[in-house]
């Protein structure tokens, strides 16, 4: 299931994957963009267990009373479904909302790392430029460099 698969979200994922590849400086070849999350947090793998199932097989391995036990389990589960289903649905929605938030925070973190890297390189260029200008000013002073 692809959640949050709208175009702006996918473009943020593409941007995050490209910036991660650019920062790694070891990446060569294609850059893969995961449809949801990445392998670091495994969000896509957490989607399935995030959904709470209340319907599952009622079994019993008892040879003589097994059918009666299965029938009793089915009756009890059906009788409690009205009570358990809303709680399970609410918890499932919360689990998916939490995973969505983790994914958005991860993408935001990737964007901030990209901006920080750009600021660092700009800072280093500015320091180098200013150092070069300072050296030129010292060279132009009468009496030579200090």
């Amino acid at each position: 299931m692809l959640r949050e698969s709208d175009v702006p979200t996918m473009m943020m994922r593409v941007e995050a994957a490209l910036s991660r590849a650019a920062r790694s400086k070891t990446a060569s070849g294609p850059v893969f963009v995961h449809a949801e999350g990445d392998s670091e947090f495994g969000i896509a793998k957490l989607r399935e267990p995030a959904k709470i199932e209340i319907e599952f097989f009622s079994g019993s391995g008892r040879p003589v009373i097994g059918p009666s036990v299965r029938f009793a389990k089915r009756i009890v589960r059906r009788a409690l479904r009205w009570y358990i289903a809303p709680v399970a649905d609410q918890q499932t929605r919360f689990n998916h909302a939490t995973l969505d938030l983790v994914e958005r925070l991860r993408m935001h973190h990737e964007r901030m790392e990209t901006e920080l890297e750009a600021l660092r390189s700009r800072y280093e260029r500015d320091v180098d430029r200013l150092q070069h200008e300072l050296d030129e000013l010292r060279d132009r002073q009468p009496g030579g460099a200090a």
Side-chain angles (χ1 to χ4, degrees):
M1 171 172 70
L2 288 178
R3 296 178 58 86
E4 300 289 328
S5 59
D6 57 343
V7 173
T9 303
M10 286 306 294
M11 291 310 297
M12 285 191 331
R13 288 183 181 133
V14 168
E15 180 184 342
L18 290 175
S19 68
R20 188 179 324 112
R23 278 194 318 274
S24 74
K25 295 182 172 104
T26 59
S28 62
V31 175
F32 294 99
V33 178
H34 299 276
E36 182 173 46
D38 62 357
S39 59
E40 183 181 355
F41 293 108
I43 293 173
K45 292 178 183 173
L46 291 174
R47 287 291 177 187
E48 184 60 31
K51 181 173 181 354
I52 297 176
E53 298 288 338
I54 59 170
E55 298 290 330
F56 46 92
F57 177 70
S58 298
S60 175
R62 296 176 183 93
V64 177
I65 60 169
S68 300
V69 170
R70 284 193 300 272
F71 180 72
K73 284 181 180 180
R74 265 197 314 263
I75 295 296
V76 169
R77 287 185 183 146
R78 286 184 183 167
L80 292 176
R81 185 180 304 154
W82 67 271
Y83 181 73
I84 295 173
V87 174
D89 289 341
Q90 183 180 15
Q91 184 64 49
T92 297
R93 284 192 308 272
F94 176 80
N95 292 347
H96 285 295
T98 303
L99 290 174
D100 292 343
L101 178 63
V102 168
E103 176 67 9
R104 282 194 303 273
L105 287 172
R106 185 192 65 78
M107 287 189 295
H108 181 70
H109 180 261
E110 287 286 338
R111 216 173 344 170
M112 297 301 285
E113 279 187 341
T114 302
E115 289 178 22
L116 180 61
E117 186 64 31
L119 286 172
R120 276 190 184 128
S121 63
R122 182 178 169 194
Y123 169 77
E124 289 171 2
R125 280 193 315 267
D126 288 346
V127 166
D128 289 343
R129 182 181 52 82
L130 290 173
Q131 185 64 43
H132 180 70
E133 289 176 7
L134 182 62
D135 291 342
E136 285 180 356
L137 285 174
R138 285 184 182 153
D139 288 342
R140 282 191 240 155
Q141 284 182 346

